[in-house]
C-alpha cells in the first residue's frame, strides 16, 4: 500500500516543503516570499503601440508589462467617465502580477484580478463557471451544473460593487473535501466561499480609489508574507498535490535527514537523468523553450523492440522532472522512435493523462512529423534553476 508524507526541510538556509510518495520526491516548493499574484496601484509609464502593450510602473524602480487586450475598465482608477476607457500614459491602473520578472524579461501584469478562496477562484472581467481540469470530467460537469445558477446570481448581486464588472468562477480541486456532503450543503459552502472572495474583490477596487500609487493593495499571504504564513501556504499546496493523487491523510513531519532532500535537490541541477531501465534523459533549459531527449543508453533490447516500454517509463519521469524543476512555456520532447502507430497513440494518451494530473495547467499540443512531442505549460513561478540561483545569492550576501 502506497504512503505519502509532507516533509518540511531546509536548503541553504531557505525552508523547503517536499511531497514524498513511497519515499520518492514528487513535489517541491520553496517557502519564499513571491511577488506573484500581488495587486498594486501602478502608473502607465509609456505605451508601445506596435506591441499593443503598456509598461506599468508599480514601484519606484519596478516596471511590468501589460497587454492592452481585454483591459478591465474598473481597474483604470484614474478614469473619469465610461467613455474614457483607453489606457494612456500617466493613467493610474490596478494590476496583478501574473508572472515574475525573469532575467531581462519584465514581469507580466494583468487587470483581470484573480483571488483564490478555499473552494473557488474568482476572476474580474470574465464570465461563466468552470472547474479545475484536474477533476475527472464527470465530476467537473456535475459541479459546474449544480453551482452555475447560484454563482451567476452572486456575480449579478456584486456587479454594482465591482463597478459594473462581471466575474468568472473556477471551482478548485479542494471540492473533493466536500463533494460527499449533500448537494445543498456543498453548494452552500462553495457559494459562501465565492461571496467572501467577491467581497475581497469589491474591497480591493474600493481601496484602490483611496490609496496612493505604488501601494500594494492585496497579497495572497494573509499576514502580508510572514515566514509562518508562507510556510503554511507551501504545506497547503503540497497537501493539495497529494490529495489529487488519493492521499488524504499525509503526515507533515520535520526533516530528520533520512530522505536526503538536499542531495535530491542538488541532483535536479543535472542535465542527465538515469531511468531504471538503463535509458536516460537529457534536459536542456533554453531561453525560448525546454528540450528533453530520451536515449536508450544501457537499456538492453531482447527479442522484441522495447522502445514503447522505455518511452512510457520516460514519460512518467519527464513529467516528474518538469514538475520538480518547474519547467514552463514550450517543452519539446524527443522520444525514442517506434514502429507501431498504435504505440504512439498509447503514449499520447498516457502523456495527456499525466498532463491532466499536473498542478500547473499543462497542454499536450501535438506530435510533429519528426516525432517531437510538444507541450505548453503555464508560467506560474520561477523555474527551480532560477530559484536556486536566488537562494545561493542570498546565502552569499
Amino acid at each position: 500500500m502506497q504512503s505519502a508524507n509532507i516533509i518540511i526541510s531546509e536548503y541553504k538556509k531557505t525552508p523547503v516543503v517536499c511531497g514524498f510518495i513511497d519515499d520518492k520526491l514528487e513535489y517541491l516548493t520553496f517557502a519564499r516570499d513571491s511577488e506573484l499574484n500581488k495587486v498594486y496601484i501602478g502608473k502607465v509609464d509609456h505605451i508601445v503601440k506596435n506591441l499593443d502593450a503598456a509598461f506599468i510602473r508599480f514601484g519606484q524602480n519596478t516596471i511590468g508589462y501589460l497587454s492592452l487586450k481585454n483591459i478591465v475598465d474598473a481597474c483604470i482608477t484614474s478614469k473619469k467617465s465610461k467613455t474614457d476607457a483607453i489606457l494612456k500614459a500617466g493613467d493610474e491602473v490596478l494590476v496583478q502580477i501574473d508572472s515574475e520578472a525573469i532575467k531581462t524579461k519584465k514581469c507580466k501584469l494583468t487587470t483581470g484580478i484573480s483571488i483564490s478562496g478555499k473552494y473557488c477562484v474568482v476572476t474580474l472581467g470574465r464570465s461563466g463557471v468552470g472547474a479545475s481540469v484536474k477533476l475527472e470530467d464527470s465530476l467537473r460537469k456535475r459541479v459546474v451544473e449544480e453551482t452555475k445558477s447560484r454563482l451567476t446570481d452572486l456575480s449579478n448581486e456584486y456587479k454594482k460593487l465591482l463597478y459594473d464588472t462581471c466575474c468568472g468562477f473556477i471551482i478548485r480541486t479542494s471540492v473533493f473535501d466536500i463533494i460527499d456532503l449533500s448537494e445543498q450543503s456543498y453548494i452552500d459552502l462553495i457559494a459562501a466561499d465565492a461571496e467572501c472572495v467577491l467581497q475581497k474583490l469589491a474591497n480591493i477596487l474600493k481601496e484602490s480609489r483611496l490609496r496612493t500609487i505604488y501601494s500594494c493593495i492585496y497579497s495572497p499571504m494573509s499576514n502580508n508574507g510572514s515566514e509562518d504564513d508562507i510556510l503554511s501556504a507551501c504545506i497547503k499546496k503540497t497537501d493539495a498535490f497529494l490529495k489529487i493523487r488519493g492521499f488524504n491523510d499525509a503526515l507533515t513531519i520535520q526533516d530528520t535527514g533520512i530522505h536526503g532532500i538536499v542531495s535530491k535537490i542538488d541532483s535536479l541541477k543535472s542535465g542527465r537523468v538515469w531511468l531504471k531501465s538503463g535509458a536516460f534523459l537529457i534536459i536542456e533549459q533554453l531561453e525560448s523553450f525546454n528540450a528533453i531527449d530520451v536515449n536508450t543508453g544501457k537499456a538492453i533490447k531482447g527479442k522484441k523492440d522495447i522502445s514503447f516500454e522505455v518511452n512510457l517509463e520516460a514519460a512518467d519521469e519527464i513529467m516528474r522532472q518538469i514538475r520538480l524543476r518547474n519547467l514552463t512555456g514550450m517543452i519539446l520532447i524527443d522520444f525514442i522512435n517506434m514502429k507501431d502507430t498504435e504505440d504512439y497513440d498509447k503514449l499520447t494518451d498516457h502523456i495527456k493523462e499525466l498532463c491532466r494530473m499536473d498542478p500547473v495547467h499543462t497542454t499536450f499540443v501535438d506530435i510533429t512529423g519528426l516525432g517531437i512531442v510538444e507541450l505548453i505549460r503555464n508560467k506560474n513561478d520561477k523555474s527551480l534553476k532560477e530559484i536556486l540561483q536566488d537562494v545561493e545569492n542570498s546565502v552569499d550576501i
Side-chain angles (χ1 to χ4, degrees):
M1 185 176 178
Q2 287 187 311
S3 62
N5 290 311
I6 298 171
I7 312 295
I8 301 173
S9 188
E10 193 175 81
Y11 182 86
K12 296 189 177 180
K13 299 182 180 180
T14 299
V16 61
V17 179
C18 306
F20 277 80
I21 297 177
D22 283 350
D23 296 325
K24 186 175 183 179
L25 179 62
E26 295 288 353
Y27 189 79
L28 174 68
T29 178
F30 279 77
R32 45 185 274 279
D33 190 17
S34 170
E35 287 290 296
L36 197 66
N37 293 324
K38 288 184 179 179
V39 178
Y40 288 88
I41 300 173
K43 188 174 184 177
V44 180
D45 190 79
H46 61 283
I47 304 287
V48 183
K49 291 185 178 180
N50 61 334
L51 294 178
D52 198 21
F55 285 88
I56 311 295
R57 187 177 296 277
F58 60 93
Q60 289 291 346
N61 301 304
T62 316
I63 293 180
Y65 163 91
L66 174 69
S67 172
L68 293 178
K69 295 178 181 178
N70 305 317
I71 295 290
V72 177
D73 291 349
C75 291
I76 307 176
T77 60
S78 57
K79 191 169 105 172
K80 304 300 181 184
S81 65
K82 289 186 177 181
T83 57
D84 186 22
I86 300 175
L87 207 59
K88 55 186 181 298
D91 277 344
E92 293 179 13
V93 58
L94 192 67
V95 291
Q96 185 171 45
I97 298 178
D98 202 29
S99 65
E100 291 189 283
I102 301 172
K103 297 179 182 178
T104 59
K105 293 184 179 179
K106 300 187 184 301
C107 65
K108 183 180 177 183
L109 307 173
T110 180
T111 56
I113 312 298
S114 287
I115 306 296
S116 296
K118 186 174 182 179
Y119 300 116
C120 66
V121 178
V122 184
T123 303
L124 201 63
R126 293 191 181 178
S127 60
V129 178
S132 170
V133 294
K134 306 298 181 294
L135 299 172
E136 293 182 359
D137 291 343
S138 58
L139 181 56
R140 289 177 64 208
K141 184 177 179 181
R142 173 192 162 190
V143 168
V144 170
E145 287 180 349
E146 293 176 350
T147 60
K148 188 173 183 179
S149 175
R150 186 79 171 272
L151 295 180
T152 301
D153 288 344
L154 274 174
S155 178
N156 292 333
E157 287 175 23
Y158 273 81
K159 194 170 184 178
K160 188 173 181 179
L161 289 173
L162 298 176
Y163 294 80
D164 293 323
T165 305
C166 58
C167 55
F169 303 85
I170 297 293
I171 308 300
R172 303 181 65 187
T173 54
S174 52
V175 73
F176 268 132
D177 297 338
I178 58 173
I179 199 65
D180 290 333
L181 300 176
S182 68
E183 179 179 327
Q184 191 58 51
S185 296
Y186 96 83
I187 292 175
D188 286 345
L189 287 171
I190 292 174
D193 182 59
E195 187 166 11
C196 181
V197 177
L198 284 165
Q199 188 59 58
K200 284 184 182 179
L201 274 172
N203 292 340
I204 288 169
L205 289 175
K206 182 179 179 180
E207 192 174 349
S208 69
R209 269 71 179 168
L210 306 173
R211 299 277 293 275
T212 58
I213 59 170
Y214 309 151
S215 297
C216 180
I217 302 293
Y218 169 80
S219 171
M221 302 299 174
S222 58
N223 296 327
N224 200 27
S226 71
E227 289 184 8
D228 287 344
D229 200 40
I230 294 170
L231 186 61
S232 177
C234 289
I235 293 171
K236 286 180 180 178
K237 286 198 297 185
T238 307
D239 188 48
F241 168 82
L242 294 173
K243 280 183 175 178
I244 202 69
R245 282 157 179 76
F247 299 99
N248 296 311
D249 53 356
L251 294 176
T252 300
I253 56 179
Q254 290 289 334
D255 185 23
T256 60
I258 193 173
H259 291 90
I261 290 173
V262 172
S263 62
K264 283 180 169 60
I265 292 175
D266 283 336
S267 70
L268 294 170
K269 298 177 184 178
S270 174
R272 178 170 296 201
V273 179
W274 286 97
L275 306 179
K276 287 183 178 180
S277 63
F280 63 91
L281 312 175
I282 296 293
I283 302 174
E284 293 284 347
Q285 287 181 249
L286 305 175
E287 188 69 28
S288 55
F289 64 92
N290 302 283
I292 302 175
D293 186 32
V294 182
N295 292 272
T296 51
K298 299 176 182 178
I300 300 172
K301 292 185 179 182
K303 294 182 179 179
K304 67 171 186 174
D305 186 1
I306 62 165
S307 298
F308 176 64
E309 286 79 5
V310 171
N311 280 339
L312 279 183
E313 180 191 16
D316 290 334
E317 184 59 29
I318 285 169
M319 292 307 297
R320 175 177 172 268
Q321 291 290 327
I322 287 173
R323 183 170 63 247
L324 294 175
R325 297 172 189 238
N326 198 27
L327 305 182
T328 58
M330 291 189 295
I331 302 173
L332 305 181
I333 308 169
D334 185 10
F335 283 98
I336 300 168
N337 291 333
M338 298 183 292
K339 297 178 182 178
D340 198 334
T341 303
E342 289 185 6
D343 286 344
Y344 275 103
D345 292 338
K346 292 175 183 177
L347 178 63
T348 297
D349 290 342
H350 186 60
I351 294 170
K352 287 179 179 178
E353 179 61 22
L354 293 172
C355 288
R356 191 182 72 82
M357 296 292 287
D358 196 315
V360 178
H361 185 65
T362 305
T363 304
F364 174 90
V365 179
D366 197 6
I367 295 184
T368 69
L370 295 175
I372 306 296
V373 171
E374 300 175 315
L375 305 180
I376 294 290
R377 193 168 186 262
N378 280 11
K379 179 71 181 179
N380 70 321
D381 198 354
K382 292 182 178 181
S383 69
L384 177 66
K385 181 179 179 180
E386 292 157 341
I387 291 173
L388 292 180
Q389 287 173 348
D390 291 344
V391 169
E392 288 166 2
N393 288 340
S394 67
V395 172
D396 294 336
I397 294 175

